[in-house]
Amino acid sequence: MGQTLTGLLTSVRAIAGRPGTPAQGRPGGGPDQALLAALRLCGDHLSALAAAGPLTDARRTRLIASIGALTTACSTPGADAFDALLRTGQQALDSGGEAEARLALALADEATALRARSKGAWRLRGNALDALGRGEEAITAYERHLALQQNTAASRVVERRIATLRAAGDRIDEALTLFRETARAGTETAGADTEASGAAARLSRHLPAAEARAAFTDLVRLRTAEHGAGDPAVRRLAALYAEHRRLSDRDPMADPLLGGAEPIGVPGLRRLVAGRTVCLVADTPRTAEQERRPGSPLAALIEGYDLVVRCDEARHTAPAARTDLHACTLRGDTPWKGPRWDRRAGARLIFGDPLPHWRLALRSRLVPGAQDRVGDATLRRPLHDPALLGEEPGGAGPASTAYTVLRLLDFLGTPARVDLIGFEGPAALSAREREWVGTRTANTDDTAVRITLR
């Protein structure tokens, strides 16, 4: 193998030239400059392998064979060197080392320079960036690949990987938000948070994975030392850290009992409602009757919103009524049993505590295909979760589902507008809830029984 490696390196140098020297090219028109640059990169890698001593790794042996095929394609008129370039890049990735991942990225860069609309080149670039822990850049490359990919089935693996990388980054964003909120709440003692603040300052979703993991580890360790493992904010931070590590280690598996629905947390819900007009529609006979009437002003009004939210079990609303977000509160003794949630909804939020019974209710009452997204455990108790609104349970009695949704949307702060429609009579909110709504009401419209929140 030593002579073969030396001979191949000589061939590569003869075609591509040494680093820093102009390529000679073949008579009659040589390879594209990007291909020559790719060959020079391969030559550098071969040189490093030769200097490292005898080869015993079969994967690197296969990489050398791929480089040989690329060299032959570049020196053969009419040969498809581009496909050979992509195969070499993929073989470099399959070799598994960091140096090989860097080579794959460099080859992918040359490939995208050669053919900017090659879905294979963008997939290779995304995979290489992903292997190097550069998740946010990998997402961009994967999205370029998806924009060119026409095969829906082939897109699913990439879409799932994008979702994983985004979810891992969202956990970091959530952890930083939690840290800032607890700091603003005045829970820190003078000078005690200096180290933790430094760890938080270093932490970012845009860091390479290893650096982000180290900074996240430091933040959790320091917060635990300062406040103890029993502190609610520390518990939430530790849960976010565990989720981040799990997502960094492997893609999330779809829960077959969720019927193919995508779990979403606080960041996902924030993106879902960002910049959109939202209306909460009460389930009353009057509202349902007007909604069913063709050409009615109320039906036209509701249809004009970006997101239509409905709460709990529908008693009057038509089965086919548009529902973009369905929210339901699990009430009474556990385990919570009841009718299955078979009405179509774009997303479904289920509120309930304790966690084991909440999970059981989801798995027994969700209907496959009846929703595209399901709120995860971070959204099951928004009023009382210390990472969200953090109110003490009890006191004024259980909150209505509509009020819980309103408070959650207010906390997220991203909808362009939130309106309540039909919340009068039997559907009216409690006195405490009406008081909260009143402090945030910008406009009322009696003709449509509409309340517009600021």
Side-chain angles (χ1 to χ4, degrees), residues 109-157:
D109 288 341
E110 301 302 336
T112 54
L114 274 169
R115 298 184 189 176
R117 294 188 57 78
S118 167
K119 60 180 181 288
W122 286 107
R123 175 74 180 271
L124 176 62
R125 189 171 199 277
N127 288 344
L129 288 164
D130 201 351
L132 291 168
R134 293 158 61 177
E136 295 299 309
E137 295 173 83
I139 289 173
T140 301
Y142 284 144
E143 287 176 335
R144 290 290 298 271
H145 164 80
L146 289 178
L148 298 165
Q149 176 64 266
Q150 302 299 315
N151 188 332
T152 303
S155 299
R156 290 187 185 126
V157 173

Side-chain angles (χ1 to χ4, degrees), residues 50-195:
L55 287 174
T56 57
D57 190 332
R59 292 175 300 179
R60 287 180 175 171
T61 302
R62 288 192 291 269
L63 173 57
I64 292 171
S66 292
I67 294 174
L70 174 60
T71 305
T72 301
C74 287
S75 60
T76 304
D80 189 354
F82 185 78
D83 283 350
L85 174 61
L86 293 185
R87 285 193 295 270
T88 302
Q90 187 57 52
Q91 191 60 61
L93 265 185
D94 293 343
S95 297
E98 183 178 349
E100 284 75 15
R102 288 197 299 268
L103 174 62
L105 177 58
L107 296 181
D109 288 341
E110 301 302 336
T112 54
L114 274 169
R115 298 184 189 176
R117 294 188 57 78
S118 167
K119 60 180 181 288
W122 286 107
R123 175 74 180 271
L124 176 62
R125 189 171 199 277
N127 288 344
L129 288 164
D130 201 351
L132 291 168
R134 293 158 61 177
E136 295 299 309
E137 295 173 83
I139 289 173
T140 301
Y142 284 144
E143 287 176 335
R144 290 290 298 271
H145 164 80
L146 289 178
L148 298 165
Q149 176 64 266
Q150 302 299 315
N151 188 332
T152 303
S155 299
R156 290 187 185 126
V157 173
V158 177
E159 290 170 347
R160 188 162 59 246
R161 186 57 189 160
I162 289 174
T164 300
L165 292 171
R166 281 193 173 135
D170 289 344
R171 299 306 184 271
I172 290 177
D173 288 347
E174 222 178 313
L176 291 173
T177 299
L178 178 62
F179 176 79
R180 287 191 291 266
E181 287 176 350
T182 52
R184 281 200 301 269
T187 60
E188 312 299 333
T189 57
D193 65 324
T194 303
E195 287 187 280

Side-chain angles (χ1 to χ4, degrees), residues 16 32-42 107 110:
D32 188 286
Q33 289 300 311
L35 282 173
L36 295 176
L39 272 182
R40 282 194 289 273
L41 292 166
C42 290
L107 296 181
E110 301 302 336

Side-chain angles (χ1 to χ4, degrees), residues 280-288 291-292 309-318 343 421-423 426-427:
L280 276 71
V281 182
D283 180 42
T284 65
R286 176 184 173 186
T287 302
E291 228 184 322
R292 279 193 294 265
V309 182
R310 301 181 194 272
C311 300
D312 296 319
E313 182 182 353
R315 301 180 184 278
H316 309 287
T317 305
R343 285 179 176 248
I421 295 178
F423 283 85

Side-chain angles (χ1 to χ4, degrees), residues 19 22 68 71-72 76 106 111 134 158 185 208 212 219 247 314 338 376 378 380 427 449:
T71 305
T72 301
T76 304
R134 293 158 61 177
V158 177
L219 180 60
L247 291 165
D376 67 13
T378 64
R380 66 186 174 84
V449 195

